[in-house]
Amino acid sequence: METVVISVIGLDCPGVVYTVAETLAQANVNIEAMTQTILQGQFASIFVATLPDGVEQARIKEQTEAAIARRNMHLTVHIHAFEQNVSDKEPEESEPFVITVTGRDRPNVIASISKILFDHAVNIESLKAMLPTPEEDACLLVFEIALPVSVDRNAFRLTLLGKGEELGLEVSIQHRDIFEALHRISTI
Amino acid sequence: MLTEHEVLSTLNMLRNEHLDVRTVTLGINLFDCASHDFDMFAYKVRAKINKYASALVSVCNEVGACYGIPVVNKRISVSPIGVVGASFSRDQMVKACRVLDESAKLAGVDFLGGFGCLVEKGITPGERALIDSLPEALAVTDRICSSINVGSSRCGINMDAVDLMGHTILDVAAATADRDGIGCAKLVVFTNIPSDVPFMAGAYLGIGEPDVVINVGVSGPGVVKKAIDRAMERNPKLTLGEAAEVIKNTAYKVTRVGEIIGREVARRLKVPFGVADLSLAPTPAVGDSVGEIFQSLGLSSIGAPGSTAVLAMLNDAVKKGGSFASSHVGGLSGAFIPVSEDSSIEAATRSGALGLEKLEALTSVCSVGLDMIAIPGDTPAAAISGIIADEMAIGMINSKTTAVRVIPVPGKGVGEKASFGGLLGEAYIIPVPGGDSSAFIAHGGRIPAPIHSLKN
């Protein structure tokens, strides 16, 4: 059995997940995990699946593309072998933080902030752009990050705030627990 | 993953609605510092406060930065000094107050509370020395607050203490006459004082409390007001039942902030977390006012007919929302109506919409009492004692905390302005109802405990 990653990206419409899942089921491919999102009408999904012995990746790709074409959907399919993270280093302990960036939209916002994260070896676990107000050029970026415990919180915060000031944007960084504590019923 | 609503609503509360933690108060038991030797007492007090409080401010700032929630005030409460210093003379009490003031300054806290005593059934010599020391002690120190408990639902009201406090308040005002009697802003007379109040001027650490403990006072009148305004925008025909739900939900959020911050500060300081005090504590800043909530609910201002009903509903909804959000609720827990500290309430007293009589009525349903009210400097001691007696009676009969913090502003009369600065704000002096209470106050003795004190 081979584990593969299948990604399907394109124009969203009803029946996309059904078309892909039905094709995989008919080929006895087992879906182990999947996630999907829609962004401004564009559909993107990732499936982690196991192929039965003797079934090739290329064949599954062809069958899925054919099924999509039969239903006049506009999506591209990609498939490749599942790659395990083989680093022998234990992942460093981290804490969940949320960085929010608000202000006037400009081309280099995400690049500037994500560079700071990269420089500190901080992984982005989720990144979303939201529209806080109806104004067209307003932006709100929400980075959910895993902040390694070895990163100096204060220095990291000051670097982010400094960048925000440089770009004329309001940047804040807060432990994720505060968002949950305020809105979800769970033990603190 | 967080939802858009969770992120936007949190940011909005922080940036536009004054959401913060009003106070993290470190309670420190000082009974083990008691000594007949004053120098030994002073040494032990300094050492103990320094041991536990030296990291308080930096830890509160770190935790505040971690969650993006400012901890506005860091404070200390200590055991009632009337008991800790039971053997001290009046002059030694003044010295003790200075020692506490120095320790507060060293720790970097803005106030230290507990220079007080509980005298609801009688006054010991040490407690009398403390009360006698108050005019000088509160004048020569900057950061010390005093609370004197003169009544309780269990014991009745000590009218000798009420009489004494009427005179003492005038003396404290006179001793700080150059600053509009600011000493009185640091002195509050209670009935049913809770042993874990984190808010000033009533904060102290009572008997039965841990050796060291973190108590938290939340904030949030601005958040509640904005939540009501938003709900009204969505539905202009909002009923009061629906408004109460909005207040309840918002109080939950405000209290969760206090709970999470308090727990984390306690964890980092390695001391137990005590209680969250669910009070809506205003500041003089516009948009951070309890009084504005009355306007959002349709009254022209606090003081208009209907105000007591609004305050009752507000106080109850805050308790309902807050009690579910916190593991341990304590302190005063309700809505504060401190006149000089709330721009909208202060404006209502200035315009004549709110007077002392209505304020007294409001205190029957709010969490504390007559708070930060400037009265004429020539108010007789018996009238102040009468005001205290009335307020204590409301607390005693209704089994609730009530308090009086009035400032007879020396040399000033009705309509003149008194300024106390900072969070204490400013207030126009309001009239005290006429009539003579002196013969009543002179009776002294104790008003017996009410029948419902017999609960065993």
Side-chain angles (χ1 to χ4, degrees):
Chain A
M1 285 207 302
E2 184 191 11
T3 305
V4 295
V5 178
I6 304 164
S7 60
V8 180
I9 298 182
L11 201 57
D12 186 38
C13 64
V16 177
V17 172
Y18 168 61
T19 304
V20 176
E22 182 193 39
T23 310
L24 298 180
Q26 283 166 354
N28 278 331
V29 174
N30 185 40
I31 300 170
E32 292 185 355
M34 78 87 62
T35 182
Q36 74 146 74
T37 189
I38 298 164
L39 183 66
Q40 295 187 359
Q42 300 297 308
F43 172 90
S45 64
I46 309 172
F47 298 77
V48 174
T50 47
L51 307 187
D53 290 336
V55 174
E56 289 181 1
Q57 291 179 20
R59 194 161 151 225
I60 296 297
K61 183 173 188 292
E62 275 165 29
Q63 287 176 349
T64 313
E65 283 171 341
I68 286 170
R70 275 199 300 280
R71 291 204 167 109
N72 289 325
M73 295 173 172
H74 301 273
L75 298 141
T76 55
V77 179
H78 183 79
I79 183 165
H80 64 265
F82 184 83
E83 215 178 330
Q84 199 80 32
N85 188 345
V86 289
S87 167
D88 52 359
K89 274 200 292 185
E90 281 281 307
E92 190 184 340
E93 201 185 324
S94 64
E95 283 186 294
F97 273 79
V98 177
I99 299 170
T100 51
V101 181
T102 44
R104 198 172 285 261
D105 195 16
R106 47 192 292 168
N108 60 344
V109 177
I110 295 182
S112 307
I113 300 295
S114 56
K115 178 181 186 314
I116 296 171
L117 304 183
F118 173 69
D119 290 344
H120 289 80
V122 173
N123 200 37
I124 300 172
E125 308 215 314
S126 160
L127 168 57
K128 263 202 256 185
M130 300 172 184
L131 281 177
T133 61
E135 292 165 44
E136 271 184 11
D137 60 349
C139 78
L140 167 59
L141 297 173
V142 180
F143 296 76
E144 290 186 42
I145 60 166
L147 189 61
V149 288
S150 61
V151 174
D152 181 320
R153 268 55 183 153
N154 208 30
F156 182 64
R157 174 177 297 106
L158 292 176
T159 309
L160 280 169
L161 300 190
K163 181 54 78 178
E165 207 163 303
E166 188 188 314
L167 298 173
L169 297 165
E170 196 166 354
V171 177
S172 64
I173 171 164
Q174 294 163 269
H175 198 289
R176 190 191 137 100
D177 283 358
I178 195 73
F179 295 89
E180 295 197 354
L182 274 170
H183 295 96
R184 299 181 187 180
I185 295 174
S186 56
T187 308
I188 292 174
Chain B
M1 270 201 326
L2 301 170
T3 66
E4 192 164 332
H5 168 73
E6 288 169 340
V7 175
L8 290 179
S9 127
T10 307
L11 288 183
N12 204 28
M13 281 191 271
L14 280 168
R15 292 182 184 170
N16 306 324
E17 300 170 8
H18 300 273
L19 178 66
D20 53 36
V21 171
R22 185 52 45 83
T23 179
V24 169
T25 302
L26 177 68
I28 304 175
N29 158 42
L30 294 184
F31 288 123
D32 53 355
C33 302
S35 171
H36 64 281
D37 177 344
F38 185 87
D39 292 338
M40 178 59 75
F41 160 83
Y43 171 79
K44 284 181 165 181
V45 165
R46 285 193 179 101
K48 186 158 186 186
I49 292 178
N50 188 45
K51 176 181 173 186
Y52 288 105
S54 59
L56 175 67
V57 173
S58 60
V59 165
C60 285
N61 289 340
E62 276 168 28
V63 173
C66 177
Y67 292 109
I69 309 273
V71 177
V72 180
N73 299 301
K74 298 87 179 173
R75 293 168 172 172
I76 296 172
S77 63
V78 299
S79 314
I81 297 299
V83 182
V84 178
S87 61
F88 292 165
S89 65
R90 177 205 165 279
D91 290 349
Q92 283 175 315
M93 282 295 184
V94 175
K95 278 170 69 184
C97 197
R98 283 183 187 274
V99 169
L100 293 170
D101 196 44
E102 287 159 17
S103 293
K105 286 172 180 166
L106 189 65
V109 297
D110 69 337
F111 282 119
L112 181 152
F115 188 73
C117 52
L118 291 89
V119 295
E120 56 267 33
K121 285 182 90 173
I123 305 178
T124 66
E127 289 160 347
R128 178 64 198 238
L130 182 138
I131 293 173
D132 288 345
S133 80
L134 284 172
E136 185 180 350
L138 295 180
V140 298
T141 57
D142 300 310
R143 304 191 187 183
I144 302 304
C145 289
S146 177
S147 50
I148 311 294
N149 191 69
V150 299
S152 74
S153 297
R154 278 277 179 186
C155 305
I157 302 171
N158 181 347
M159 288 300 291
D160 293 326
V162 169
D163 182 15
L164 180 60
M165 288 315 297
H167 292 279
T168 304
I169 286 169
L170 281 177
D171 293 344
V172 169
T176 48
D178 54 334
R179 288 171 283 160
D180 281 344
I182 196 172
C184 293
K186 299 182 285 177
L187 171 62
V188 56
V189 182
F190 271 97
T191 198
N192 291 326
I193 187 171
S195 61
D196 50 14
V197 188
F199 286 104
M200 295 298 166
Y204 88 106
L205 188 71
I207 294 165
E209 294 288 321
D211 192 39
V212 189
V213 65
I214 285 287
N215 295 318
V216 171
V218 303
S219 168
V223 185
V224 171
K225 179 203 174 328
K226 289 280 174 61
I228 295 170
D229 291 347
R230 274 195 301 273
M232 296 278 285
E233 263 176 44
R234 283 195 300 271
N235 175 15
K237 292 181 176 168
L238 194 77
T239 67
L240 290 173
E242 288 161 344
E245 278 299 297
V246 171
I247 297 166
K248 202 167 81 177
N249 291 338
T250 311
Y252 173 85
K253 293 178 185 177
V254 168
T255 308
R256 291 288 274 186
V257 169
E259 177 87 2
I260 196 169
I261 298 271
R263 286 192 167 277
E264 186 59 18
V265 169
R267 191 184 68 79
R268 294 192 189 191
L269 287 174
K270 298 186 174 62
V271 301
F273 176 69
V275 300
D277 186 323
L278 315 178
S279 299
L280 288 185
T283 67
V286 172
D288 201 18
S289 154
V290 171
E292 288 173 8
I293 296 173
F294 289 68
Q295 290 161 336
S296 288
L297 286 170
L299 293 179
S300 53
S301 78
I302 181 172
S307 296
T308 310
V310 167
L311 188 56
M313 185 182 93
L314 174 65
N315 212 15
D316 185 64
V318 165
K319 287 176 190 171
K320 285 172 177 163
S323 61
F324 184 58
S326 173
S327 53
H328 297 283
V329 176
L332 301 164
S333 287
F336 291 173
I337 49 167
V339 175
S340 74
E341 295 175 356
D342 186 307
S343 55
S344 171
I345 299 177
E346 195 276 330
T349 60
R350 196 163 8 117
S351 71
L354 179 62
L356 200 58
E357 298 88 339
K358 187 64 177 176
L359 278 162
E360 184 183 308
L362 291 171
T363 65
S364 65
V365 297
C366 84
S367 70
V368 193
L370 297 171
D371 200 14
M372 290 303 289
I373 300 171
I375 57 174
D378 61 0
T379 307
I384 296 174
S385 294
I387 292 169
I388 294 172
D390 287 344
E391 195 57 35
M392 302 300 106
I394 290 172
M396 174 183 75
I397 293 294
N398 295 299
S399 297
K400 72 186 288 292
T401 301
T402 49
V404 173
R405 182 163 51 151
V406 292
I407 303 108
V409 185
K412 291 191 178 175
V414 172
E416 290 186 83
K417 190 169 82 170
S419 292
F420 309 113
L423 279 179
L424 298 173
E426 58 182 36
Y428 279 77
I429 295 166
I430 61 172
V432 172
D436 183 5
S437 321
S438 53
F440 165 67
I441 297 300
H443 282 296
R446 267 198 297 142
I447 293 181
I451 185 69
H452 55 249
S453 68
L454 305 177
K455 286 183 174 167
N456 287 338

